C-alpha cells in the first residue's frame, strides 16, 4: 500500500489563486481540505471552496501566513495530515519543512535538508558546479570581505550583479557598473537582504546582457527524477516574470536536450523529491546557458507546462511528497503545442503599475478550447490590501506559438474584471507588438519597451472602458 493513501486531509498554508489551485488538486485526489486564513481572508474564494477554514492570525503575513506555530496548531486542530505551502511565504523555509515533519505531518515539498542546499542561492550554485551544470561566472559562495569581493568583480568584469542568497521574487538584486558603485551597493544589498529575508548573505555574479530566462520543470521522488521540458519567462518587469510560455521558441532541440538533462542531473544530485524548477539564463546567440537558481516549490507559471504536457503538477507533487514513486518514465512525458500565461495583477499599467485593491464586479471569464483562468475572484470580492497583487493567470494553449498569441489576444478581449484596474491592457499591447510576435525579446526588453509604449496601454484601456 502506498504512503499517499495515508493522507486524508490537506491544509493549505497559503492564499490567493494558488490556494484555489491546490484545493482543486486535492479534490482530484479525493482529499479533504482545510484552508488556513488570516483575518483578511475569511471571505476569500479559497475559504469558500475548502471543506474547512481555520483562522491563523492577523492580516500581516508575519502574524499569519509566515506564522509557523499558528499554522501547525491549525493543522493539529483540524486533524490535517499534510501541509501544502504554495509559493512564497513558508514554501522555501527549511525550518518550516522540518517542523512540519517533526509534527508528524507530510510537507508537500522537499525535505528541509534539500531546501537548505537548493533554496539558498549561493549553496545551490556550488551544488550545480559539483553536478557539472554550468553556472554564471561569479563568487564561490558568499562574499564577506569587501576588498576580496571587489577584486573578484574586477576579474569577472563589470557590470556585475550583487545578489542576496536568500532573495526571491526579483528582490535583493543590485547591478554595479564599476568599482565605485560596487563599494556603495554591496553593503546596501546586504543590509536590505537582512531586513527583507532575515539573512544578510550576498554573492556576486557576472551580469549576462540580453539573455533569455529559460527554466526546466522537474519532478523527483527521492530516487529518480524526470523533467517536463522548459518554459521561457523573458518578459519581466523589475526582474519579475509577467508573461511565460512553454516551450521556449528560442531553444533548438539540441539545446533543449542539454538543458533538460542538466536540470535532471542537478535534481538527481540532491535526490530531489517534489516539484521544482531549475532556472537558467540562455544566450541564444551562442547556445550557452547558465544556472541561476532553483525554486524548490511549485511556481506561479506551472500551468503552461501542464497545458503542453497534459499533466497535473500539483497532484504529482502531492503524490511524490507523500512517498509514492514517480510511476513515470521520461519517455512517457510528451509535449504538444504551445502555451502562454499572463499574470493579472491589481495594478494600473498606465500609471506606473500602482497597486489598486478594490471590489470586483462584472467579472466575465473567457471560455473555449485551450483557455484556462486560474484565479481568486468572484463578484463582490474585496481585494485585501496586505498581499501580493496577483489576482489570477490567464493561460492559453494552441497547436503553435502564433495561434497561441492570437488566442491570448482574443481571450483578453473577452476577459472582464470590473471594479479595479488590472494588467490586462499591458498584455493586449504586448500581444500586438511585433517583437513579442517574433519572440525577439530578452529579460531587459520589456522595461525598455514600456518606456516607449505606455501610451498604447493607456489608449487601449480607455477604449475598452
Ligand atoms: P515564480 O518563480 O514562481 O515565478 P516569483 O518569483 O514570482 O515566482 O515568486 C512567487 C511569489 O513568491 C511572489 O509573491 C514572490 O514575491 C514570493 N517569493 C518568492 N521568493 C521569495 C522569498 N525568498 N521570500 C519571500 N517571498 C518570495
Ligand atoms: P529571484 O530569486 O528573484 O527569482 P533570480 O536569480 O532568479 O532571482 O533572478 C531574477 C531575474 O533577474 C532573472 O530572471 C533575470 O532576468 C535577472 N538576472 C538574474 N541573474 C542575472 C545575471 N547574472 N545576469 C543578468 N540577469 C540576471
Ligand atoms: Mg528566479
Amino acid at each position: 500500500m502506498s504512503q499517499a493513501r495515508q493522507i486524508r486531509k490537506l491544509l493549505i498554508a497559503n492564499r490567493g489563486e494558488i490556494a484555489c489551485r491546490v484545493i482543486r488538486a486535492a479534490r482530484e485526489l479525493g482529499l479533504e481540505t482545510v484552508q488556513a486564513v488570516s483575518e483578511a481572508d475569511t471571505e476569500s474564494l479559497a475559504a469558500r471552496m475548502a471543506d474547512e477554514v481555520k483562522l491563523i492570525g492577523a492580516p500581516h503575513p508575519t502574524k499569519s501566513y509566515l506564522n509557523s506555530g499558528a499554522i501547525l496548531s491549525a493543522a493539529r486542530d483540524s486533524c490535517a495530515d499534510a501541509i501544502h505551502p504554495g509559493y512564497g511565504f513558508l514554501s522555501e523555509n527549511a525550518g518550516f519543512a522540518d517542523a512540519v515533519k517533526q509534527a508528524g505531518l507530510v510537507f508537500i515539498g522537499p525535505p528541509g535538508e534539500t531546501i537548505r542546499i537548493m533554496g539558498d542561492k549561493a549553496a545551490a550554485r556550488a551544488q550545480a558546479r559539483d553536478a557539472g551544470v554550468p553556472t554564471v561566472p561569479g563568487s564561490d559562495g558568499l562574499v564577506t570581505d569587501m576588498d576580496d569581493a571587489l577584486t573578484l568583480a574586477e576579474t569577472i568584469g563589470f557590470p556585475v550583479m550583487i545578489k542576496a542568497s536568500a532573495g526571491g521574487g526579483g528582490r535583493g538584486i543590485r547591478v554595479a557598473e564599476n568599482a565605485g558603485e560596487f563599494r556603495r551597493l554591496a553593503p546596501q544589498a546586504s543590509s536590505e537582504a537582512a531586513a527583507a529575508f532575515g539573512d544578510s548573505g550576498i554573492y556576486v555574479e557576472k551580469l549576462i546582457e540580453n539573455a533569455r530566462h529559460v527554466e526546466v520543470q522537474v519532478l523527483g521522488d527521492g530516487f529518480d527524477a524526470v523533467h517536463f521540458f522548459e518554459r521561457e519567462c523573458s518578459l519581466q518587469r523589475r526582474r519579475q516574470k509577467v508573461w511565460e510560455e512553454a516551450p521556449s521558441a528560442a531553444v533548438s532541440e539540441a539545446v533543449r536536450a542539454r538543458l533538460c538533462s542538466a536540470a535532471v542531473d542537478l535534481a538527481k544530485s540532491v535526490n530531489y523529491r517534489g516539484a521544482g524548477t531549475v532556472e537558467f539564463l540562455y544566450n541564444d546567440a551562442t547556445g550557452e546557458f547558465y544556472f541561476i537558481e532553483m525554486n524548490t516549490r511549485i511556481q506561479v507559471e506551472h500551468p503552461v507546462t501542464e497545458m503542453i504536457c497534459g499533466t497535473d503538477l500539483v497532484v504529482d507533487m502531492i503524490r511524490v511528497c507523500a512517498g509514492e514513486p514517480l510511476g513515470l518514465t521520461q519517455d512517457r512525458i510528451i509535449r504538444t503545442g504551445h502555451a502562454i500565461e499572463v499574470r493579472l495583477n491589481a495594478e494600473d499599467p498606465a500609471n506606473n503599475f500602482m497597486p489598486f485593491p478594490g471590489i470586483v464586479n462584472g467579472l466575465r471569464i473567457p471560455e473555449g478550447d485551450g483557455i484556462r483562468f486560474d484565479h481568486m475572484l468572484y463578484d463582490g470580492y474585496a481585494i485585501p490590501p496586505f498581499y501580493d497583487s496577483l489576482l489570477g493567470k490567464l493561460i492559453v494553449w494552441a497547436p503553435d506559438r502564433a495561434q497561441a498569441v492570437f488566442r491570448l489576444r482574443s481571450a483578453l478581449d473577452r476577459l472582464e474584471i470590473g471594479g479595479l484596474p488590472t494588467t490586462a491592457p499591458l498584455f493586449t499591447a504586448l500581444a500586438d507588438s511585433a517583437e513579442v510576435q517574433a519572440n525577439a525579446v530578452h529579460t531587459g526588453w520589456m522595461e525598455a519597451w514600456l518606456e516607449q509604449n505606455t501610451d498604447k496601454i493607456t489608449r487601449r484601456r480607455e477604449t475598452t472602458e
Side-chain angles (χ1 to χ4, degrees):
M1 183 108 108
S2 76
Q3 256 185 323
R5 294 273 166 87
Q6 288 166 13
I7 297 187
R8 302 208 189 292
K9 210 179 207 184
L10 179 69
L11 179 131
I12 296 102
N14 211 300
R15 62 177 308 283
E17 68 85 21
I18 195 62
C20 301
R21 170 71 187 87
V22 173
I23 292 171
R24 214 149 38 79
R27 283 186 184 150
E28 284 289 306
L29 287 163
L31 305 177
E32 283 180 70
T33 51
V34 186
Q35 178 60 50
V37 296
S38 75
E39 282 160 11
D41 280 335
T42 53
E43 295 302 318
S44 68
L45 184 60
R48 293 185 170 196
M49 286 168 70
D51 299 316
E52 275 173 57
V53 176
K54 278 274 174 202
L55 192 64
I56 51 168
H60 195 278
T62 54
K63 299 272 189 274
S64 46
Y65 301 105
L66 290 171
N67 181 349
S68 55
I71 292 166
L72 287 168
S73 302
R76 234 174 276 124
D77 292 352
S78 57
C79 300
D81 35 34
I83 297 183
H84 197 302
Y87 51 67
F89 297 123
L90 292 171
S91 62
E92 294 186 88
N93 185 308
F96 181 65
D98 288 343
V100 172
K101 188 179 170 194
Q102 274 152 22
L105 308 175
V106 174
F107 177 70
I108 309 300
E113 65 251 36
T114 308
I115 301 179
R116 272 186 196 93
I117 302 170
M118 299 310 299
D120 179 273
K121 293 184 182 185
R125 272 168 60 81
Q127 183 69 31
R129 265 196 311 269
D130 291 349
V133 175
T135 57
V136 180
S139 57
D140 279 331
L142 299 176
V143 300
T144 42
D145 181 275
M146 202 46 63
D147 292 327
D148 291 352
L150 192 53
T151 310
L152 172 78
E154 273 159 352
T155 313
I156 61 178
F158 287 102
V160 298
M161 272 191 161
I162 307 159
K163 295 171 100 175
S165 201
R171 286 165 301 159
I173 296 178
R174 292 279 199 292
V175 175
E177 300 281 350
N178 53 51
E181 280 189 9
F182 190 89
R183 280 197 185 280
R184 190 167 53 84
L185 295 175
Q188 254 183 42
S190 183
S191 54
E192 191 190 81
F197 309 109
D199 179 342
S200 62
I202 53 166
Y203 64 103
V204 177
E205 230 175 54
K206 185 166 180 60
L207 180 92
I208 310 285
E209 267 159 309
N210 301 338
R212 290 172 186 268
H213 176 112
V214 179
E215 58 184 36
V216 178
Q217 175 70 53
V218 295
L219 181 75
D221 62 6
F223 302 95
D224 195 12
V226 292
H227 69 79
F228 291 82
F229 302 98
E230 82 287 353
R231 301 185 276 262
E232 175 162 355
C233 320
S234 298
L235 295 181
Q236 303 183 352
R237 181 172 170 271
R238 297 190 173 163
R239 302 195 177 92
Q240 262 214 296
K241 304 152 187 168
V242 300
W243 162 311
E244 302 104 343
E245 310 191 9
S248 165
V251 162
S252 67
E253 278 303 331
V255 170
R256 175 169 295 123
R258 285 197 288 126
L259 191 72
C260 293
S261 69
V264 170
D265 287 348
L266 182 58
K268 285 185 176 167
S269 78
V270 292
N271 296 323
Y272 196 79
R273 189 178 72 213
T277 301
V278 184
E279 297 192 332
F280 299 92
L281 289 176
Y282 173 59
N283 179 337
D284 56 0
T286 62
E288 284 169 315
F289 55 82
Y290 310 89
F291 170 82
I292 47 172
E293 67 155 342
M294 180 168 190
N295 289 319
T296 58
R297 54 170 165 90
I298 193 75
Q299 273 191 313
V300 176
E301 59 273 24
H302 74 278
V304 286
T305 299
E306 296 182 328
M307 297 293 265
I308 64 161
C309 292
T311 188
D312 185 325
L313 291 166
V314 182
V315 163
D316 291 343
M317 80 188 285
I318 295 172
R319 285 207 172 114
V320 294
C321 293
E324 268 195 35
L326 271 181
L328 191 67
T329 49
Q330 190 65 59
D331 59 323
R332 283 179 44 207
I333 303 171
I334 314 271
R335 67 184 171 89
T336 150
H338 196 94
I340 303 176
E341 170 185 287
V342 294
R343 298 191 190 193
L344 295 150
N345 287 63
E347 294 171 3
D348 186 354
N351 193 4
N352 201 28
F353 294 82
M354 178 121 59
F356 261 98
I359 298 178
V360 178
N361 65 58
L363 178 66
R364 280 186 51 199
I365 297 172
E367 286 175 12
D369 259 11
I371 299 176
R372 168 173 166 183
F373 188 47
D374 281 20
H375 68 100
M376 58 181 288
L377 305 173
Y378 59 83
D379 277 332
Y381 177 55
I383 315 281
F386 310 102
Y387 310 105
D388 194 275
S389 60
L390 185 67
L391 300 172
K393 299 148 359 186
L394 178 64
I395 306 117
V396 298
W397 177 95
D400 63 39
R401 186 173 184 275
Q403 291 177 71
V405 174
F406 186 81
R407 186 167 273 176
L408 174 71
R409 179 72 177 74
S410 102
L412 280 165
D413 276 347
R414 286 175 287 131
L415 171 71
E416 285 176 29
I417 304 173
L420 64 169
T422 77
T423 45
L426 164 70
F427 300 119
T428 300
L430 283 172
D432 284 344
S433 86
E435 288 100 324
V436 169
Q437 287 174 5
N439 195 28
V441 297
H442 55 78
T443 54
W445 177 84
M446 197 186 89
E447 285 200 12
W449 175 88
L450 271 173
E451 281 178 17
Q452 306 298 316
N453 293 278
T454 305
D455 60 315
K456 284 192 189 138
I457 299 168
T458 317
R459 261 205 310 280
R460 229 163 266 285
R461 198 170 136 241
E462 280 162 1
T463 53
T464 54
E465 266 175 4

